[in-house]
Amino acid sequence: MKEVKHYVALVLSELCTKNFKDVCKKRRDAKGKYLPNVFAGNRPSAGPELDEFLVIRTSSNFGDHNVYQQASVYVQIYVRNLENGLQNIMRLQELEDKVIEKFPIITDRYVVKNPALQLSGDDDLGFAVWLVRANLQINTTDRFSWPDKE
């Protein structure tokens, strides 16, 4: 059996650049270049040009079950609060609907399914946060090798 390999970077990269890239409104900087609105791992600092964005991360523990690994994927939906400090519930709901409709996500390497919503409240930085948690299973069958024929 080959060493255990984790595919965290692959999963996060594909989820950010393929699956969830079109959920939030696109924003441009002063030079007209598109600003990213889906981030892997951690919440970025958000200037006035960023009103909504997603943060995608995995759970910190991965269960190893030989032919597959199991973890959770978290899609955090951030929407800037309204001027009076109230949450923009309608926009949060629109983005959550767009996130949920992406499931299940099935590739040769991994499957992300069974999304569930958790209302997370305010982040004390002017944004409301909703969290979608889903199950992640990673196919690791390529780490097994057959013995050489004699």
Side-chain angles (χ1 to χ4, degrees):
M1 182 167 53
K2 299 176 187 175
E3 283 188 41
V4 174
K5 182 175 179 182
H6 295 93
Y7 297 91
V8 178
L10 170 75
V11 170
L12 291 177
S13 173
E14 287 187 2
L15 292 176
C16 289
T17 62
K18 293 180 182 177
N19 302 96
F20 295 106
K21 70 178 183 174
D22 61 345
V23 171
C24 296
K25 290 180 189 171
K26 297 223 181 273
R27 301 270 189 240
R28 293 181 187 256
D29 64 11
K31 297 178 183 177
K33 183 179 176 185
Y34 280 111
L35 296 169
N37 55 17
V38 182
F39 303 91
N42 295 310
R43 180 199 193 287
S45 298
E49 72 283 347
L50 199 55
D51 290 330
E52 59 189 42
F53 57 92
L54 303 180
V55 175
I56 301 174
R57 62 184 178 87
T58 63
S59 55
S60 56
N61 292 330
F62 276 69
D64 186 11
H65 304 283
N66 295 322
V67 296
Y68 71 95
Q69 294 167 348
Q70 191 167 9
S72 294
V73 166
Y74 301 99
V75 179
Q76 295 171 298
I77 303 166
Y78 287 83
V79 174
R80 189 178 299 278
N81 290 334
L82 300 171
E83 288 181 18
N84 55 9
L86 294 175
Q87 293 183 3
N88 189 345
I89 300 294
M90 296 306 290
R91 186 61 183 156
L92 283 161
Q93 183 66 63
E94 290 170 4
L95 294 178
E96 187 262 346
D97 290 343
K98 287 182 177 183
V99 167
I100 293 293
E101 74 184 19
K102 303 287 185 181
F103 292 94
I105 298 167
I106 301 170
T107 72
D108 290 340
R109 176 61 65 194
Y110 61 89
V111 174
V112 186
K113 60 184 181 177
N114 301 328
L117 175 64
Q118 175 182 334
L119 304 178
S120 299
D122 196 283
D123 71 351
D124 295 326
L125 296 171
F127 287 82
V129 186
W130 284 11
L131 175 76
V132 175
R133 182 196 166 279
N135 297 329
L136 168 66
Q137 284 190 327
I138 300 172
N139 175 2
T140 62
T141 56
D142 58 346
R143 73 184 228 219
F144 292 93
S145 57
W146 296 103
D148 292 332
K149 290 184 178 180
E150 296 178 11

